[in-house]
Amino acid sequence: MNIFIATYGSRGDVQPYVALGKGLQELGHQVTLATSDRFRVFVGEHDLQYGYMNDDLLAIIDTDQGRDLLENTNNLFQVIKRTFSMMKQLRPMQQSLLQDSWEAAKKSKPDLIIFHPKAYGGPHFAEKLGVPVIMALPFPMIVPTAEHPNMGFPNLKLGGWYSRMTYRFVNTLMGWSCGKHVKAWRVANGLPPLKNFDILHTADGKNIPVLHAVSKHVVPQPSDWPKTAMMTGYWFLNRNDNWTPPVELEAFLAAGPPPVYIGFGSMAGRNPERLANIVIKAIIKAKVRGIIATGWGGLKATDLPETIHQIEQAPHDWLFPRMVAIVHHGGAGTTAAVLRAGKPSVIVPFFGDQPFWGQRVYSLGLSSKPIPQKKLSADNLAIAIKGAISNPDAQRKAEEISVRIYHENGIGSAVAVIEEVMTTTS
């Protein structure tokens, strides 16, 4: 069968879907993955069909305005305020992305559509094409529960009503941002008018199945979720067998004790040089060896001492097991890779879901207390690094959860649900 997957965002919003696509393809399905043009080569490298979506919205992050958003945003309400201030600029980009993803979906002639919430046209494309639809996401942010508030809200201990309200608020906000575009698209494509935008339901009110690429050992599945929502376990993309580490990296690893890895993905704000200087000073103060990953738009570092090696990137499943600890931004994908590697963390959250993962990993005893990036200094980072590598309890717990995660088959569980949906709706 032909399966169309649509996602949008950073690499962490793309890589799990590539892994899922490969899992489906191994069972004989044809898979098209639509995402930003900057990931075209990445998708193709894994033998999936690429569906075009433009890069304009992501390019905002590369501007001073976008970097300012990352640098000065600490909670959901600030994200909302700043996003609304950019709304006029973002609207035409959202419309363009919706049309791009629709053109890619039509071209793929799918029997099933799987979509990330950022590719919110998925349910409406499925309705137009007469095929089933599944939502898939790398964190539990959409399906309401009374057991804890949405990850962008403080845990005020006000009871289930408050927790559920936070999810309704986020979903309503999504409707404000996306609903107008979807309603216009439906009219233009001959579908009945949509009264209210609801990411969790089809236009006729049926629950959309929701798969979460998250381990139940990290975030237990809420007991009040509907049967259509589930934690499948992580969707890991293992490195290409043809990948070999650079000679310089292997030499650095062999030259001394395991180093600390420090990388913040694309999160570096408006002044990556400042962040790099903090990191370098912290590694020196902690008296450890370090590997700095610059990443896409991330850290910049020059004139490094012999105890620090700089790389652009390396497969996490190869690199992380060779580290003594991992310092990272708390993105969903990086957090999952650290947990699978069985290493203690130091998490420096910037925005979005990152504070949630920082607190979650800390509550499990796998990291030091998260350091928000605005409060990061060479001194507190050095203290956190030394604490992470000298805490045997954190190391033991990290190794234990690694074993549990290795025994999960997240992709297998997700594929089983996908095939069941295709069978029952065919």
Side-chain angles (χ1 to χ4, degrees), residues 143-393:
V143 182
T145 176
E147 295 182 7
H148 53 74
N150 188 287
M151 60 177 61
F153 289 78
N155 192 355
L156 299 180
K157 308 295 184 183
L158 295 176
W161 71 267
Y162 166 72
S163 293
R164 286 190 168 275
M165 179 276 294
T166 63
Y167 292 90
R168 286 196 298 270
F169 180 84
V170 169
N171 293 345
T172 299
L173 182 66
M174 186 178 294
W176 290 341
S177 174
C178 310
K180 182 177 180 180
H181 308 303
V182 167
K183 291 176 182 178
W185 181 90
R186 288 177 65 91
V187 171
N189 286 273
L191 290 178
L194 185 68
K195 184 176 180 181
N196 294 309
F197 177 89
D198 182 355
I199 196 73
L200 287 168
H201 298 90
T202 59
D204 60 0
K206 295 179 182 177
N207 280 351
I208 294 174
V210 186
L211 304 179
H212 297 82
V214 180
S215 171
K216 65 183 178 182
H217 301 298
V218 180
V219 182
Q221 179 165 318
S223 60
D224 58 351
W225 267 7
K227 293 181 180 179
T228 49
M230 67 175 294
M231 302 280 191
T232 64
Y234 290 119
W235 304 342
F236 289 113
L237 181 65
N238 294 324
R239 66 183 178 276
N240 190 317
D241 290 337
N242 295 326
W243 186 86
T244 55
V247 173
E248 297 82 3
L249 175 58
E250 285 197 300
F252 179 79
L253 291 172
V260 173
Y261 169 93
I262 302 182
F264 302 122
S266 60
M267 306 288 117
R270 298 186 66 173
N271 193 346
E273 291 85 358
R274 169 189 166 274
L275 190 57
N277 287 334
I278 289 175
V279 165
I280 292 167
K281 290 178 181 178
I283 292 173
I284 294 171
K285 283 178 177 288
K287 297 180 181 179
V288 296
R289 299 192 332 133
I291 288 180
I292 298 178
T294 57
W296 161 49
L299 290 174
K300 294 183 179 179
T302 57
D303 301 324
L304 297 175
E306 292 183 358
T307 55
I308 300 176
H309 182 72
Q310 179 176 319
I311 62 173
E312 183 175 349
Q313 60 182 5
H316 288 167
D317 61 328
W318 184 90
L319 185 63
F320 285 180
R322 292 167 167 80
M323 302 296 103
V324 66
I326 315 291
V327 180
H328 60 103
H329 58 298
T334 304
T335 300
V338 174
L339 294 174
R340 183 171 70 157
K343 301 298 178 179
S345 292
V346 176
I347 297 181
V348 181
F350 285 67
F351 82 130
D353 60 314
Q354 297 161 13
F356 170 83
W357 294 115
Q359 287 296 328
R360 188 66 202 145
V361 173
Y362 175 59
S363 71
L364 293 171
L366 307 172
S367 73
S368 56
K369 190 173 182 179
I371 308 172
Q373 61 91 14
K374 285 187 69 173
K375 297 182 179 180
L376 187 69
S377 70
D379 288 336
N380 61 20
L381 181 55
I383 291 170
I385 290 172
K386 288 190 287 187
I389 64 179
S390 63
N391 185 341
D393 191 49

